Amino acid sequence: MRFSIITPSYRSSQWLRLCISSVADQEGVELEHIVQDSCFDDGTQEWSPKESWVKAFIEKRPRHV
């Protein structure tokens, strides 16, 4: 059975790392983990997950005029 886990993220880089690790620890299921990040200033974009089963969608930081 395949599961999709969707995790929203906003200024939660440390929590997000723990969340991704927790999902990765699940055994006996095929999964994909989709992360939707608002790309704020918490460093998520710099370390965004590289695992093939994690799909990270990181919004571009808005330009201030």
Side-chain angles (χ1 to χ4, degrees):
M1 186 175 290
R2 183 179 176 108
F3 288 93
S4 295
I5 307 296
I6 302 170
T7 304
S9 176
Y10 178 78
R11 289 188 172 171
S12 57
S13 181
Q14 287 184 326
W15 174 84
L16 185 59
R17 288 179 194 231
L18 293 172
C19 178
I20 290 171
S21 294
S22 177
V23 170
D25 287 343
Q26 304 309 306
E27 296 180 4
V29 295
E30 181 182 351
L31 59 87
E32 69 175 343
H33 192 167
I34 299 169
V35 176
Q36 177 65 45
D37 186 79
S38 65
C39 188
F40 237 81
D41 54 0
D42 67 351
T44 299
Q45 188 169 15
E46 286 76 29
W47 69 264
S48 64
K50 306 292 188 257
E51 292 86 356
S52 62
W53 58 273
V54 177
K55 295 176 177 73
F57 297 95
I58 301 174
E59 296 174 20
K60 293 182 179 178
R61 187 177 302 225
R63 298 181 102 171
H64 292 24
V65 180

